[in-house]
Amino acid sequence: MYLKELTELDGVSGNEQQVRDFINQRIKDKVDDLRVDVLGNLIAYKKGTKGRRKIVLAAHMDEVGFMVTNIEEDGTLAFSPVGGVETQVMPGKVVRINGKTIGVIGYKAIHIQDKESLLKPLSVEQLRIYIGAKSKEEASKQVKIGDYVAFTTAFDQENGRVTGKAFDDRAGCSVLMDLIEKNDRYEDDLYFAFVVQEEVGLRGSAVVVEQIHPDIVIVIEGTTAGDDPELPEYQWATHLGDGPAVTFMHRGYVVNKKIYEAILNVAVKYSIPHQAKRRTAGGTDAARFARTGAGTAAGVVSVPSRYIHSPVSMIDLNDYNNAVLLLQKILEEGEAFAR
Amino acid sequence: MDVKELIKELSLLDGPSGYEAEVLKVIEKKIEPFVDKVWYNKVGTLVAEKKGFGKGKLGIFAHADEVGHVITKIEEGLFARLEMIGGVDPKIMFAQRVRIHTKNGVAKGVVGVLPPHLQKEEHRNKVPNFDKIFVDLSCSELGKYVSVGDICVVDMKPVELNGKLCGKAMDDRAGCASLILAAQLLQTLRNYQDVYFVFSGQEEVAGPGAVSIAYELKLDRAIVVDVTHGDVKVPQFVQIKVGEGPAICVGPSIDREFQSKLSEIAQKHNVKTQIEPAPGRSGTDTDEIQLTGSGIRTALVSIPLMYMHTPVEVVDPKDVEETARLLALATTVE
Amino acid sequence: MIDLIKKLTEAYGPSGREEEVHNLILQELEDHIDGYKFDNVGNLLVWKTGSSGKKVLFDAHADEIGLVVTNIDEKGFLRVESVGGVPPHSYVGHRVRFSNVVGVIYVEGETEEERKKNFTNLNLDNMFVDIGAKSREEAMKLTPIGSFGVYDSYFYRNGDLLISKSMDDRIGCAIIVEIFKRIGKPHNTIIGTFTVQEEVGLVGASVAAYTLVPDVCIAVDVTDSSDYPKSFKRHSMMLGKGPAIKIKDRASISNRNIVEKLVETAEQQKIPYQMEVLTFGGTNAAVLQKTRSGIPSATVSIATRYVHSPSETVSLNDVENTVELLINYAGKGV
């Protein structure tokens, strides 16, 4: 399990280098082939004992974050979100720019806000990153327009739960790495695709199909959990503690029926806890895989994660471990899976 | 080639998305002398090809289409209704002369507006939309031939404003002009890579023009030349200035190494450029070109422009020339 | 053909669950095709080989809009979300058919005031489905989470008008089936694709043309008919005026050459037709045209009243004329 290492790296969409290098180092001796494609996707290959089908397991390396879009005269940085970050999670956070410069997203003290601004929701136009520079000139020595900005949350583990940033989708990356480390051979040829730019429109996955022409894709995600006191139970998408979530439909794609049912069957066969993802909002790379090239039958297995797209998200380690187990059993099924 | 005359000539041509053939014909004639061969793909994209002395395939893209309109319905009394092609703000439509391409020739029309004397509060406070907009065809002999599906553009002849050029369709005929000029520059500079100048259609409606040819040519790299908002404050964003050279884009749709290389070339040869951040999509063909086939390394170079998608788009011809220089230089290296 | 339309429109086939529709089509086409296959995402592809070496693809989507079960309460009532663009008001007090059970949809509201509010702001979040189950367990057996439902509606003929759910796009399916039945030995190879998951985002059609690589694609789909009281004022499409040859909608612009060929064919054969500009919506042509290195594509539409309601209404005359137009086009086309 590499959740700590992976989530403490910076990898905002379009700038996944740190994550890619880390994964590359850890898995390179355990796979038969490894390549980085034009967009920056890292694709590892393990030959199957029969090799009649090609199965892709995909997780995305990128996370939501920001980009520096202007340097102000006073040395603060104007920024814009990369991927879907809500303004409400921005103020009062520590960020890292371009992998080195530390800054904070400050906001004026409660004492000096008038009533009106206290009651009004924030907009990103009101926020700046402060790096301690006194002027545009000084700031420009350390940062430049176009630099990527990531949250800097330290990983924490206690009480069977872990908290940190970017479980969407470093959780998926870690699951894939665990599967690679088991170092087993399965019947089908396996491709582990660590893809880029999911958060900005399912982009990295778009070029994977033409490189591999897979028969089946399973996307492994860190997905929305809604089990908090502010939301009625019937509106939760998933919840923590009852196992990995299996998706039947999400934005832009109804999951291939055969794959959906095959995943459920494996979970039932080995009594692995699991839940249906019960909302159809949000999308994953599965929609892109289905729609690209000659098309691919794609399924989705997710680790439920509270508070995603914020600097502190939370998962349950049992769910994580059961996701690994479920996928391992799926692979062990070999050619019997989704026949 | 006189850059101003070239831009003006291209601006005058009518070619909303899907109906660019006449524009492409003119471009074809202009670029043909500078390249090895010109041809069209299945969906009407024009390619001008020039072999290099080294290796690698570089595509340089500009779109030939412009935003425009199409007739949706004919009303009694020689009036017609419009739908936009691409994103057009209805606010700029009132009291414009329009040209409508009918089977029998170009008909004239006027987009009518209620005089202030007849307006009531409800008229003044309403934001105009295309449901309220109509074209009066009674001033045209050909008005009776106008029918559903006919293509319509705002009638606008380019004007010069203190050295800057103003007209319709500068987005992206200014880009087209820079490609033609770059091809001309390659008569003296020698291109290392095989270069494909691509003039595509249907950019404004996310059509197949650019992606189809990117897929077909199996390019190693692509530079897209489009326009960007100049001399206007966009909240949170650095201001791009008209007349200060093309803006080189940074963001997820752009290959970082290719972009840095382009910036280096610019610096080395004193080509004035600016940096434009695009944290999400760039809103140009770059976004999809990058994802064709197994992926293509992309860069985006944008000509600063004021009043985008209106009939009075403004560009500085110097920016077009600087863009051409940058493009030509980019073909000479590995 | 009326029987065929009845069978196809009454079949169960929400996005992602198109098997029943596909099986019906295959039964109908048994003796009329040279081959068929299902591709990776479940599209049904059929073909009849011609002698010219050219290939014309006709596409209709097999799926229809629907609902999917996302939650079940302890008393056995279901919560649902929409599959495709479902207007919730079409469901109030109506029935929804799952693969093996029918339910009633209604609206929550503990007070008259709340009820009234919910009726005016209809939203699936405050609606539920009653399948007559007495407990969560019983409901889970009948309609487990992830079960898909469709309008429980039936086919009805009213003179020239045909009324049913899912004319969008079983009428297109019926037209393509009819083309294969009526055409003997075709000049050009004819491919029929009955694509999946159009309503959730043109999924099937994005890949349907990839393997067979046709020379042209024509999507056959429904369009808004604007001939009922206070219908969309900028639209000109009407029932009974013949197939609608699409110029544009919000997702694509039909290939100009195909449009011209269709018009020419209709005029030569004296088949009534109308031109279509739709100010919203989109069809599979938007993605078919981007397959591989681009495929010229267009849409031919059937004017339809009340699209996405349980009573989508078309004209039989239009349907017959569309079959004739497309058979004639397929003969020359390309």
Side-chain angles (χ1 to χ4, degrees), chain A residues 208-226:
Chain A
V208 173
V209 172
E210 294 251 350
Q211 297 177 60
I212 299 173
H213 298 287
D215 296 289
I216 292 172
V217 175
I218 300 176
V219 171
I220 296 100
E221 266 285 2
T223 200
T224 337

Side-chain angles (χ1 to χ4, degrees), chain A residues 169-315:
Chain A
D169 184 28
R170 303 288 155 71
C173 295
S174 181
V175 168
L176 257 55
M177 292 173 77
D178 286 355
L179 291 168
I180 291 169
E181 298 221 319
K182 296 208 185 295
N183 221 1
D184 293 333
R185 291 267 167 209
Y186 305 100
E187 287 179 0
D188 296 311
D189 282 350
L190 291 186
Y191 294 82
F192 297 88
F194 300 88
V195 300
V196 298
Q197 296 192 29
E198 192 269 354
E199 299 290 359
V200 288
L202 319 177
R203 298 177 58 78
S205 53
V207 303
V208 173
V209 172
E210 294 251 350
Q211 297 177 60
I212 299 173
H213 298 287
D215 296 289
I216 292 172
V217 175
I218 300 176
V219 171
I220 296 100
E221 266 285 2
T223 200
T224 337
D227 49 340
D228 70 53
E230 291 295 316
L231 208 60
E233 189 183 338
Y234 73 88
Q235 290 186 4
W236 298 355
T238 68
H239 54 281
L240 266 52
D242 271 347
V246 187
T247 302
F248 51 82
M249 176 187 172
H250 63 51
R251 189 178 62 229
Y253 179 57
V254 178
V255 170
N256 181 286
K257 190 180 172 201
K258 203 198 261 180
I259 306 285
Y260 173 62
E261 287 174 352
I263 295 171
L264 289 183
N265 289 341
V266 172
V268 170
K269 183 172 166 188
Y270 296 98
S271 302
I272 302 167
H274 64 283
Q275 53 183 314
K277 180 167 178 188
R278 291 175 294 161
R279 297 294 281 192
T280 64
T284 76
D285 282 321
R288 184 65 93 162
F289 283 114
R291 258 191 274 236
T292 308
T296 316
V300 188
V301 171
S302 305
V303 180
S305 173
R306 289 180 184 166
Y307 328 124
I308 58 170
H309 287 211
S310 90
V312 201
S313 46
M314 180 194 295
I315 64 173

Side-chain angles (χ1 to χ4, degrees), chain A residues 210 213 233-236 248-249 252-257 260 276 278-281 290-297, chain C residues 15-17 19 40-41 68-71 79 81-83 108 125 145-146 148 197 200-203 206-207 210-211:
Chain A
E210 294 251 350
H213 298 287
E233 189 183 338
Y234 73 88
Q235 290 186 4
W236 298 355
F248 51 82
M249 176 187 172
Y253 179 57
V254 178
V255 170
N256 181 286
K257 190 180 172 201
Y260 173 62
R278 291 175 294 161
R279 297 294 281 192
T280 64
R291 258 191 274 236
T292 308
T296 316
Chain C
S15 307
R17 299 290 180 272
E19 302 87 345
N40 293 347
V41 298
V68 63
V69 179
T70 51
N71 249 299
R79 296 283 168 174
E81 285 187 29
S82 65
V83 179
E108 295 177 334
D125 273 350
I145 288 169
F148 290 75
Q197 300 199 31
V200 297
L202 318 183
V203 176
S206 298
V207 302
Y210 187 90
T211 33

Side-chain angles (χ1 to χ4, degrees), chain C residues 272-293:
Chain C
Y273 69 96
Q274 48 188 328
M275 301 309 288
E276 175 201 347
V277 178
L278 184 69
T279 59
F280 49 73
T283 75
N284 278 337
V287 290
L288 288 166
Q289 65 178 349
K290 290 186 180 176
T291 308
R292 290 182 185 255
S293 49

